[in-house]
Amino acid sequence: MKKAVICGVSYQEIEGDELDGCINDAKCMKYLLTTKFNFKESNILMLTDEKNEATICSAKIPTKYNIRKAMHWLIEDCKPGDSLVFFFAGHGTQEEDLDGDEIDGKDETICPSDFRIHGKIVDDEINRTIVRPLPSGVTLHAIVDSCHSGTVLDLPYLCRMNRHGNYEWEDHRPKTGVRKDTSGGQVFLFSGCDDHQNSSDGAELADDVITGAMTYSFFKSIEIGYGSTYGCLLNSMRTVIKDIDNPKSAGHLPRLFGKLKQRLLRSKYKQEPQLTSNMMFNVYKKPFTL
């Protein structure tokens, strides 16, 4: 079975926190999963704070309670052969690590729509909910387009890749010995940037369609055929991000988005998409699929 949780948070009711592209990110991810990777709509749980959705059903708003509930639903009764996806587009932050399980002394968080009232969801909880219980034979892919998201699943290994595509695995297992691994399953996280970086909400795919730069680079890389392996996909995503300010990189996405135009807005931040996993592997040999 294939199951997915897709969260797009625009923070429309919070002055100063509004994001333009996150709801579009969520819609595009649903489109990608259903058209490219054969996910059934009935097995996709969509949480956004789009005004019409909030009016229709409060259970579909990406509040802290609803995201927590959705994460539990995602792994509920999973069996060998299942493919799970967790997607989040919204704000991310860092805060002081209080239990000594971060090598940089900081926890990463995602921000639900009501985080100003009910708080953020910390990476420790995300790991505890959708990583550690994952049984053998089950695969989870997380795609998180937010600031400070590099290790937001608290996975043990980070693929440290340079501009030439060469890489080595960086060990993020805490000296305290706290367990961050699964119960036998495989987990992969593509994140918008490194833990100390910010992600841009600025890829304009059409005159009135804005997406996150990382989400755009993920779709673009798969569309142009660089999604064959994890290494090829990560390297391509980084290339697309670097080309944001290059007018020559503008083009069309005829197969995935029809005639939607690519026009990327200049980002005030530099970001490098990251790959983390619960295991080390050859990123250029392991095939990628959802």
Side-chain angles (χ1 to χ4, degrees), residues 34-52:
T34 55
T35 60
K36 288 284 187 179
F37 296 103
N38 300 314
F39 279 68
K40 295 180 180 179
E41 284 198 34
S42 58
N43 290 331
I44 297 177
L45 180 55
M46 190 92 161
L47 303 177
T48 76
D49 55 355
E50 191 170 20
K51 287 185 177 179
N52 62 327

Side-chain angles (χ1 to χ4, degrees), residues 141-159:
H141 286 88
I143 302 107
V144 179
D145 193 348
S146 66
C147 296
H148 311 294
S149 54
T151 62
V152 74
L153 257 65
D154 254 359
L155 297 172
Y157 304 106
L158 182 146
C159 179

Side-chain angles (χ1 to χ4, degrees), residues 135-203:
S136 180
V138 179
T139 301
L140 167 67
H141 286 88
I143 302 107
V144 179
D145 193 348
S146 66
C147 296
H148 311 294
S149 54
T151 62
V152 74
L153 257 65
D154 254 359
L155 297 172
Y157 304 106
L158 182 146
C159 179
R160 188 63 73 185
M161 182 177 286
N162 65 22
R163 63 179 180 173
H164 303 294
N166 301 318
Y167 75 94
E168 61 181 9
W169 286 102
E170 190 172 275
D171 193 341
H172 279 249
R173 291 175 295 178
K175 293 181 179 180
T176 59
V178 173
R179 175 174 166 259
K180 293 189 175 185
D181 204 352
T182 69
S183 296
Q186 298 182 82
V187 182
F188 309 93
L189 164 66
F190 284 99
S191 52
C193 59
D194 210 342
D195 284 342
H196 67 280
Q197 294 177 332
N198 293 277
S199 287
S200 172
D201 185 44

Side-chain angles (χ1 to χ4, degrees), residues 115-286:
F115 78 98
R116 292 290 184 189
I117 299 173
H118 296 293
K120 307 160 189 175
I121 300 178
V122 182
D123 54 6
D124 293 346
E125 178 180 351
I126 299 173
N127 182 276
R128 187 168 58 248
T129 305
I130 62 175
V131 174
R132 295 185 206 178
L134 210 67
S136 180
V138 179
T139 301
L140 167 67
H141 286 88
I143 302 107
V144 179
D145 193 348
S146 66
C147 296
H148 311 294
S149 54
T151 62
V152 74
L153 257 65
D154 254 359
L155 297 172
Y157 304 106
L158 182 146
C159 179
R160 188 63 73 185
M161 182 177 286
N162 65 22
R163 63 179 180 173
H164 303 294
N166 301 318
Y167 75 94
E168 61 181 9
W169 286 102
E170 190 172 275
D171 193 341
H172 279 249
R173 291 175 295 178
K175 293 181 179 180
T176 59
V178 173
R179 175 174 166 259
K180 293 189 175 185
D181 204 352
T182 69
S183 296
Q186 298 182 82
V187 182
F188 309 93
L189 164 66
F190 284 99
S191 52
C193 59
D194 210 342
D195 284 342
H196 67 280
Q197 294 177 332
N198 293 277
S199 287
S200 172
D201 185 44
E204 188 171 324
L205 296 179
D207 291 338
D208 58 351
V209 180
I210 305 292
T211 72
M214 178 269 189
T215 299
Y216 173 81
S217 73
F218 185 80
F219 294 146
K220 175 73 171 178
S221 297
I222 291 174
E223 174 58 22
I224 63 178
Y226 284 95
S228 57
T229 67
Y230 289 86
C232 288
L233 179 54
L234 179 63
N235 203 17
S236 177
M237 290 171 64
R238 290 178 166 211
T239 299
V240 172
I241 293 288
K242 289 175 184 177
D243 285 344
I244 283 180
D245 296 329
N246 180 7
K248 294 182 180 180
S249 69
H252 299 279
L253 300 176
R255 295 189 296 280
L256 185 57
F257 293 109
K259 296 183 178 180
L260 292 179
K261 295 183 298 180
Q262 173 198 358
R263 183 166 67 83
L264 297 175
L265 303 177
R266 181 174 297 274
S267 170
K268 62 183 288 189
Y269 302 112
K270 299 298 182 182
Q271 65 183 98
E272 295 176 312
Q274 303 292 325
L275 169 66
T276 58
S277 179
N278 68 309
M279 59 184 181
M280 296 183 286
F281 59 93
N282 187 324
V283 299
Y284 290 111
K285 289 186 176 180
K286 189 172 181 62

